[in-house]
Amino acid sequence: MTAEPDGPEDRLRRFATIWSRAVFPVTSTSSTRPEFEAQLLPLARRLSEALLARTFDSDAGRAVGAALVDAHCTDPEALSRTLDCVDAYLVLYCGGDGDREDLRARCARLQHAMAAGFARTLRERTLAEQEAIAQAALQAQGVVAQALHASEARFRAVFEGAAIGIGMADLEGNILQVNGALLRMFGVSEPTLRSRNVREWTHPDDAPQTWRLYDELVQGEREHYHLEKAFYRPDGTVLWTNLTVSLLRDADGDPQYQLALMEDTTERRLLNLRLRYEATHDALTGLPNRTFFFERLEKALGAGEGQRFGLCYLDLDGFKTINDSLGHAAGDRLLVEVADRLQSCATAPGEMVARLGGDEFVALTTGPDTQREVDELAGRIMNALLAPISVDGRELTVRGSIGIVEGPAGERSPAEVLRSADITMYRAKSAGGNRFELADAEADARAITRHGLTTALPTALERGEFFIEYQPLVHLGDGSVRGAEALVRWLHPQHGVLGPDRFIPLAEHTGLIVPLGRWVLEQSVRQAREWREMQGGEAAGPLRINVNLSPCQLTHPGLVQDTVDILERTGVAPDALCLEVTESALIGADDDLLKPLRRLAEMGVDIALDDFGTGYSNLANLRRLPVSILKLDRSFTQSMQQFPADPVDLKIVEGIVSLAHSLDLAVTVEGVETGAQAEQLRILGCDTAQGWYYARPGPPERLHQLALVDATG
């Protein structure tokens, strides 16, 4: 066995070797096979570079196709073997670690470009031969009498030995002479072919200018023309040709004959059609792919005034679970069945279904009344997915989420339409799935803003765009400032100051919450040390900093060590720090999740249960949680802003405070906005409070001033 090539260059040479062995037997060249392989190596390298290029460029494929003709690979079998070799081995040996589906699509497009470049160069060479033949024909009639016989012999040799079909006719279209190649192309005898008139050879696929050009030539108004033309053979099959017709004049310059040269391009055309189909259709389902869909969408969006479009963007709900549990083969069979059902939903004129990739499909409808039609199309798609799909003896229920975009043509680009449909589809999925939603410009704008914020988060932390504001925690008994809660803000270059509700969920989703939370913790602890140093003495003792922990930070293995390191670097005692954890994050928490909190509590760090009362937790569960403070949610105390307060809320708060104190837990209240509210909470026994009544979140200097006022009395 031969060892697998080690590096990209070895793989490239292996591909060139396979290519040369396949093509060399059908190549008219005086080179040896190793020499021929050396000619193919730079062509293979160019294909490899085009396959892996950041931006795909089909010029490389056309150039390689042209180079094959220059290397004397003019036999159609050489092109066929080359394309088979590229299809089988280019991605395998030169694809590297790229996305196989994308590489296969690029490979198909490269094959298409190679065939086009091969055809164009071969046609140019044929035209050169045709010019030589025409010159020979003219020379045969214009030479002096002494050389006439020799010239006619030379012309006859060219005429009979040419690989392309040649025919001569008079100006009335009567065929006078044909060569053997032309007879073989049509599959008829010479008498049969000569009995036909040129004007009888019409075909439904003739280009509009075909017969206009012919009339101009026989009338002497043009010397030649070239076009692609189809002919019917006697057996009914179609012969496609590259046709060049030239006008032959007599010695006086008067039109006398017409000379036609035909190159059989039938197989090449079929190959191009096959390559075009493979490049524009999904290999698994047979549906149009993303490339084809974008072409149709661009055409629909460029339609004239009064035309509209409707687009349904479908994503299957829970498809990953099917792949993970039953395997990708079962998932593929499911996708094929879904594709068949979707195709049956879009059969009207102006409708199409395509697969964009994975489990994402799109349906398009066009016309003047798509507002109604796209809703009906979405309804048909949802109904088509109702019946279970049988895969490997299992009945699978398939559901989907659909985003619908509808509007007039000419207002948006294909990328904008697809982005809106994608956003709308995810909105439907977020609402529970198995439904469709209509695109909404405001919702799109919010989603785009969220995406922009998400992508900007990592660099924002590096650029120092985050800052912290502090809201004081006030003792309800004596009104003294006992500390502050750290609240992170983002000074965005375009959107201004953003609160945590705008970016903390995004940071949690991307995983950036861990480094961001570590930064907030360190900055806050450093600020607590500065406060104590500025105030000094005993007055500085009670000041404490409260920092929020997200659920993602709780599960991060470095939480305890990061906290210890920060406290040691800053020289702050653990009892100056309180970490706030939402009640919902600890519902049903097991010992593994509680272990880091217990270790921190044992060190002396206070743990506060934030938003208490909103998580529907078991009150008896408080005994197993390593918390020392309950932060009562503001929803329980809002009624106390007015007099008289709701007696039910009073009883609830009184009960919570009594329970907390019996468990040696302090109670902090959020959202205190009036003096009456603060007094009522003091009477109920709450320990500390925070809210706009005392101070809004602000810079650290403000808290220092408040604490200084308390210290000086």
Side-chain angles (χ1 to χ4, degrees), residues 171-183:
L171 300 183
E172 285 71 40
N174 300 309
I175 299 174
L176 305 176
Q177 287 182 296
V178 292
N179 70 348
L182 191 64
L183 295 176

Side-chain angles (χ1 to χ4, degrees), residues 515-561:
L516 177 60
R518 188 185 301 118
W519 178 85
V520 171
L521 179 62
E522 180 155 9
Q523 296 300 313
S524 302
V525 171
R526 289 184 183 280
Q527 186 57 59
R529 184 191 64 188
E530 290 181 13
W531 284 331
R532 293 195 172 194
E533 290 175 349
M534 285 189 294
Q535 290 185 268
E538 296 181 359
L543 282 180
R544 183 183 62 195
I545 190 71
N546 285 30
V547 180
N548 291 283
L549 285 184
S550 93
C552 297
Q553 291 175 272
L554 285 177
T555 59
H556 189 264
L559 173 62
V560 175
Q561 190 60 50

Side-chain angles (χ1 to χ4, degrees), residues 599-656:
R599 288 181 58 190
L600 291 169
E602 290 167 359
M603 290 166 43
V605 175
D606 282 326
I607 308 297
L609 195 60
D610 198 9
D611 297 334
F612 182 77
T614 62
Y616 307 103
S617 62
N618 186 346
L619 294 177
N621 196 40
L622 287 173
R623 300 185 62 181
R624 59 182 291 269
L625 299 179
V627 299
S628 55
I629 300 169
L630 293 187
K631 290 195 73 174
L632 193 61
D633 187 72
R634 68 183 62 208
S635 61
F636 291 106
T637 62
Q638 283 179 337
S639 67
M640 299 180 192
Q641 295 177 10
Q642 300 177 356
F643 185 84
D646 188 329
V648 174
D649 285 345
L650 291 174
K651 287 293 184 183
I652 292 175
V653 173
E654 185 179 15
I656 292 175

